[in-house]
Amino acid sequence: MATFKGFAMKRLNETGWVEKEVPECGPLDAIIKPTCVSPCTSDIHTVWEGAIGDRKDMVLGHEAVGEVVEVGNLVQNFKPGDKVIVPAITPDWDDEAAQRGFPSQTTEPLGGWKFSNFKDGVFGERFHVNLADANLAHLPDGLSDEGACMLVDMWSTGMMGSENANIPLGGSVLVIGIGAVGLSSIAGSKLLGAGRILAAGTRPISVKVAKEYGATDIINYREGAIDEQVRELTDGVGVDSVIIAGGNLENTWKEAIASAKAGGTVSNVNYLSGADNVLIPRVEWGCGMSNITITNGLCPGGRVRMERLADLALYGRQDPELLVTHRFDGLEKIEDALYLMKDKPKDLIKPVVRLDLD
Ligand code: NDP
Ligand code: ZN
């Protein structure tokens, strides 16, 4: 195959199909044929909100499971025909930021995010993975393509939100936003030993999965400020940890900080767009003296991360397939799946597209 077809961001606010040359496989790299892909809310921020600026004919998508079709001559652990989990984030593991412990930020801020950021993504018949030995994981028996596709970004990001939230054993957590990312934060918070988990969102399907993943209280943010509802539910005390996985720049940061106890943590995983500044409420932040820590991060990638997340699914700790609400078949359906993600109907958490490519 010399060229491949892919679904791309043609420019800001415009998507379409493109035909491109299959990328060259460097000595440490791999070329993958996807077998299952899923659109991300981040693809929507990228195309329709200009969150990372303009892009020309860039193939979209960064959530995939696939089959190896080619490897470079220095790749040791993978061969053509292997079924693989492909992390959304594919760092340059030899970069100094990786040595400092921040692989997702290698070469530049957010530089580990290559697919559908500054390189063609996974919504095509073929895509390229740098440093295959470090950036791919074998798909284990017993884990479906669809389930594994939920690990590469949703679980990895959402659970990172919980890992960054300093949750004390038995502590209380508020998760703002219960799309696939926030739901994964609920799952991660339960696994990390949270006691009470409050979750803010309204879509009925999300509320159902939030309870299945471990939420103990549901807050409808349309019925009043989240922090006021949290104070009411906690006798005015607030929560140990807040994870921001949705919301907006007008209200959410105020509500998050005002919901946290002094000494608590606010952990952001939301991809912020729509305004230039994030406003931290002065009084609610104890005039800057309340020991409330603010953390944030980009989805972790890498082989070990994927293997560990796969084990959480394989050994029954949580079920990633609960996030999948819509299933499509065939390359051309990627367009429908992306637009579904943009429209966010009430019965949607995540769509997947299953592919059976030559
Ligand atoms: P969704 O759009 O599916 O979910 C957003 C959630 O936020 C919904 O539950 C929605 O509620 C809720 N919400 C909307 N408005 C408010 C409000 N005013 N107050 C409180 N909650 C509100 O998003 P995803 O779960 O797919 O993604 C969440 C974010 O994570 C996105 O910004 C995405 O780009 C980002 N992301 C970040 C990554 C990272 O590496 N840091 C990686 C991947 C994604 P309702 O139930 O009413 O719809
Ligand atoms: Zn994403």
Side-chain angles (χ1 to χ4, degrees):
M1 183 184 278
T3 62
F4 74 97
K5 201 176 154 194
F7 191 67
M9 170 171 177
K10 304 213 71 162
R11 57 186 67 80
L12 270 181
N13 299 311
E14 190 184 330
T15 56
W17 292 94
V18 292
E19 179 107 18
K20 291 196 162 188
E21 280 183 22
V22 173
E24 256 182 53
C25 183
L28 294 164
D29 304 342
I31 303 297
I32 308 293
K33 165 172 91 168
T35 54
C36 184
V37 298
S38 181
C40 177
T41 304
S42 301
D43 292 310
I44 311 303
H45 293 309
T46 299
V47 179
W48 287 282
E49 294 166 23
I52 52 170
D54 204 359
R55 298 287 188 275
K56 296 272 176 266
D57 293 337
M58 177 186 70
V59 177
L60 289 163
H62 48 258
E63 298 180 17
V65 169
E67 184 185 313
V68 176
V69 291
E70 186 183 348
V71 290
N73 60 1
L74 297 178
V75 172
Q76 297 181 27
N77 298 304
F78 297 91
K79 58 182 187 321
D82 285 353
K83 285 294 302 277
V84 286
I85 306 175
V86 186
I89 303 301
T90 52
D92 298 280
W93 292 94
D94 53 355
D95 184 76
E96 63 90 28
Q99 297 191 29
R100 287 190 288 111
F102 300 98
S104 297
Q105 315 294 347
T106 44
T107 67
E108 60 180 283
L110 312 186
W113 173 24
K114 298 183 185 346
F115 298 129
S116 71
N117 182 1
F118 48 80
K119 148 180 175 178
D120 283 327
V122 303
F123 288 172
E125 294 168 295
R126 294 288 185 274
F127 62 88
H128 168 269
V129 176
N130 58 303
L131 298 180
D133 283 328
N135 283 324
L136 292 174
H138 289 283
L139 179 71
D141 290 340
L143 187 56
S144 69
D145 282 22
E146 296 165 28
C149 205
M150 294 300 108
L151 310 183
V152 302
D153 189 6
M154 299 299 96
W155 266 27
S156 193
T157 300
M159 292 192 186
M160 171 196 71
S162 323
E163 292 167 292
N164 289 349
N166 300 318
I167 300 168
L169 185 66
S172 52
V173 180
L174 164 68
V175 178
I176 300 182
I178 49 172
V181 174
L183 290 170
S184 304
S185 299
I186 293 171
S189 300
K190 181 173 178 189
L191 289 169
L192 288 166
R196 193 173 185 186
I197 304 175
L198 300 87
T202 68
R203 273 181 271 160
I205 181 71
S206 289
V207 168
K208 179 171 176 282
V209 176
K211 289 178 181 162
E212 287 178 51
Y213 268 173
T216 54
D217 304 72
I218 303 295
I219 290 173
N220 183 333
Y221 62 87
R222 296 180 206 268
E223 291 177 353
I226 293 172
D227 54 299
E228 284 169 19
Q229 298 190 57
V230 168
R231 296 274 158 194
E232 204 167 307
L233 286 164
T234 60
D235 294 328
V237 174
V239 293
D240 294 298
S241 305
V242 180
I243 301 166
I244 302 179
N248 56 48
L249 284 174
E250 289 85 62
N251 308 314
T252 306
W253 282 77
K254 175 181 174 297
E255 293 174 322
I257 296 212
S259 298
K261 293 177 189 174
T265 300
V266 173
S267 161
N268 180 71
V269 293
N270 212 12
Y271 175 168
L272 306 179
S273 64
D276 287 339
N277 296 300
V278 176
L279 300 174
I280 306 296
R282 183 181 64 82
V283 173
E284 290 80 352
W285 201 28
C287 303
M289 298 180 283
S290 60
N291 283 114
I292 291 176
T293 303
I294 296 175
T295 64
N296 65 94
L298 175 66
C299 172
R303 179 176 173 185
V304 171
R305 176 74 171 178
M306 293 303 121
E307 289 173 351
R308 287 178 176 165
L309 295 178
D311 275 357
L312 290 180
L314 278 176
Y315 294 101
R317 304 299 178 197
Q318 296 278 11
D319 179 2
E321 276 198 54
L322 292 182
L323 299 178
V324 179
T325 52
H326 292 65
R327 292 168 169 82
F328 295 90
D329 290 293
L331 188 71
E332 68 285 357
K333 294 291 184 194
I334 286 175
E335 183 167 6
D336 295 350
L338 182 74
Y339 278 79
L340 193 67
M341 202 64 189
K342 179 169 184 274
D343 296 342
K344 295 264 160 72
K346 290 214 173 317
D347 61 346
L348 177 86
I349 301 177
K350 282 286 273 192
V352 293
V353 186
R354 299 175 291 209
L355 304 166
D356 186 13
L357 298 165
D358 293 332

